[in-house]
Amino acid sequence: MNRIKVEKLLINFKTLEKFKYFKEYGNQELSMLEDLESNMVENDSDSPFYGIYFGDNLVARMSLYTVKAKYDQYFEPPQDYLTLWKLEVLPDYQGKGYGKALVDFAKSYNLPIKTNPRINSHGFWEKMDFQKAHYDMERDLGENPLIWLPEGVEEQENK
Amino acid sequence: MNRIKVEKLLINFKTLEKFKYFKEYGNQELSMLEDLESNMVENDSDSPFYGIYFGDNLVARMSLYTVKAKYDQYFEPPQDYLTLWKLEVLPDYQGKGYGKALVDFAKSYNLPIKTNPRINSHGFWEKMDFQKAHYDMERDLGENPLIWLPEGVEEQENK
């Protein structure tokens, strides 16, 4: 079996075209497309997306973004943390470890991670050692965030 | 046809039991249940939920929460606004105007509203005069927020 390679995705028309195969295509992708078309961003600029190619096909992706410590409402001690979203593996490529490879890549920064899971994905996140954050209405509203704690990091207590 | 009546829902075991019929049952509801069981909140305390009963059945609900002006990153001038989430009508009761009744109730406060729609609900929100917010990655991350602007309110420009 080939080693799975996670790559940072660059903003260009080819990548944006491949994004259309993913269910969670939304404002974020449309906004990148507009920025590219109007030369607001240069071709091959950094995107917040990481992905896995199988041959020429982008078969899995996630978005990863660093939240600064001063905005940290989840972790103790408060610190920079990663927010992970739009983790998705195309249907034909599921069950092959691509999702895990992306999550492992995120964990390799050794920062706490927060994600807001899709309905029915809790089994996956549990296997990835994510746990439910204590629910705080004013912070979480309709979200059911899951968090991953690297060694030495705890969850913030509810206010 | 009976007039549709929107009611503020109170936290008690009966209501929490009825919440289980809704797909978007999550941490928020579990946390209310725990608070009630451990006497952290009193029976019949206010909840952020509003709903519509048909006979004894809760057939539609939404959550509504006021965000303070100092946290407003969406509207111009910055002001208190409502965030609406978990709008849901039980399958057997859809297409009867219950969803619209809840949204109209939210609009009656005459504050701007932000919501983060479920996939495939855009047709509904368009009919409700909601529009896409300009996407701002650091603010919206994986969300595709929709907003409703009362008279005299505009969207904040992207930074």
Side-chain angles (χ1 to χ4, degrees):
Chain A
M1 195 187 142
N2 291 322
R3 234 182 100 252
I4 297 174
K5 190 178 150 219
V6 174
E7 314 181 22
K8 186 162 185 67
L9 303 180
L10 301 177
I11 301 180
N12 56 50
F13 289 109
K14 201 174 158 197
T15 306
L16 290 173
E17 197 53 44
K18 290 183 190 298
F19 280 173
K20 292 187 182 161
Y21 293 97
F22 291 83
K23 265 194 294 194
E24 289 192 64
Y25 185 92
N27 281 1
Q28 188 180 11
E29 289 81 355
L30 289 168
S31 142
M32 288 191 285
L33 186 60
E34 275 173 27
D35 289 351
L36 191 59
E37 283 173 340
S38 62
N39 297 310
M40 291 266 292
V41 301
E42 276 181 70
N43 200 34
D44 293 335
S45 305
D46 276 358
S47 84
F49 283 94
Y50 294 81
I52 295 170
Y53 280 89
F54 186 84
D56 195 38
N57 297 323
L58 181 68
V59 299
R61 67 167 197 179
M62 71 174 168
S63 216
L64 206 56
Y65 178 72
T66 308
V67 177
K68 294 277 166 216
K70 66 171 173 170
Y71 298 115
D72 180 5
Q73 298 186 73
Y74 289 92
F75 304 103
E76 191 59 51
Q79 58 198 283
D80 288 3
Y81 70 91
L82 296 173
T83 176
L84 191 169
W85 74 98
K86 294 198 177 178
L87 175 71
E88 190 175 340
V89 180
L90 293 184
D92 289 351
Y93 297 88
Q94 289 173 8
K96 299 179 197 302
Y98 295 126
K100 181 176 188 307
L102 286 170
V103 175
D104 283 344
F105 178 87
K107 286 178 179 173
S108 71
Y109 288 94
N110 212 34
L111 293 174
I113 306 174
K114 181 209 153 197
T115 191
N116 193 39
R118 295 265 121 191
I119 289 165
N120 297 329
S121 65
H122 280 273
F124 170 79
W125 290 108
E126 215 167 281
K127 271 188 257 168
M128 298 298 115
D129 292 322
F130 279 63
Q131 62 187 65
K132 282 189 182 188
H134 299 305
Y135 181 76
D136 173 335
M137 202 199 79
E138 304 200 9
R139 180 189 69 184
D140 300 322
L141 301 177
E143 292 196 358
N144 293 325
L146 295 176
I147 53 175
W148 178 76
L149 305 169
E151 195 130 339
V153 178
E154 287 179 25
E155 191 181 354
Q156 266 180 37
E157 294 209 14
N158 277 9
K159 284 154 290 184
Chain B
M1 197 185 143
N2 290 322
R3 237 184 97 251
I4 297 172
K5 192 179 148 217
V6 174
E7 315 180 22
K8 187 162 185 67
L9 302 179
L10 301 177
I11 302 179
N12 55 52
F13 289 107
K14 202 174 155 197
T15 306
L16 290 173
E17 198 53 44
K18 290 182 190 299
F19 280 173
K20 292 188 183 161
Y21 293 97
F22 291 83
K23 266 194 292 193
E24 289 191 63
Y25 185 92
N27 281 0
Q28 189 180 12
E29 289 81 354
L30 290 169
S31 142
M32 287 191 283
L33 186 60
E34 277 173 25
D35 289 351
L36 191 58
E37 282 172 341
S38 61
N39 296 310
M40 290 266 293
V41 301
E42 277 181 69
N43 200 35
D44 293 334
S45 305
D46 277 358
S47 85
F49 283 94
Y50 294 81
I52 296 170
Y53 281 89
F54 186 83
D56 195 39
N57 297 324
L58 182 68
V59 300
R61 68 167 197 179
M62 70 175 168
S63 217
L64 207 56
Y65 179 71
T66 308
V67 177
K68 293 280 166 215
K70 67 172 173 171
Y71 298 115
D72 180 6
Q73 297 186 74
Y74 289 92
F75 304 103
E76 192 57 52
Q79 59 198 282
D80 288 4
Y81 70 92
L82 296 173
T83 176
L84 191 168
W85 74 98
K86 294 199 176 177
L87 176 70
E88 190 175 342
V89 180
L90 294 184
D92 290 351
Y93 297 88
Q94 288 172 9
K96 299 180 198 301
Y98 295 126
K100 181 176 188 307
L102 287 169
V103 175
D104 284 344
F105 179 87
K107 287 178 178 173
S108 70
Y109 288 95
N110 211 35
L111 293 173
I113 305 173
K114 181 208 154 196
T115 191
N116 193 38
R118 294 265 122 191
I119 289 166
N120 297 328
S121 66
H122 280 271
F124 171 79
W125 289 107
E126 216 168 280
K127 271 189 257 168
M128 298 297 115
D129 292 323
F130 279 63
Q131 62 188 63
K132 281 189 182 185
H134 300 304
Y135 181 75
D136 173 335
M137 201 199 78
E138 302 200 9
R139 181 189 67 184
D140 299 322
L141 300 176
E143 292 197 357
N144 294 324
L146 295 176
I147 53 174
W148 178 76
L149 305 169
E151 194 129 342
V153 178
E154 287 177 24
E155 192 181 353
Q156 267 181 36
E157 295 209 12
N158 277 11
K159 284 155 289 186

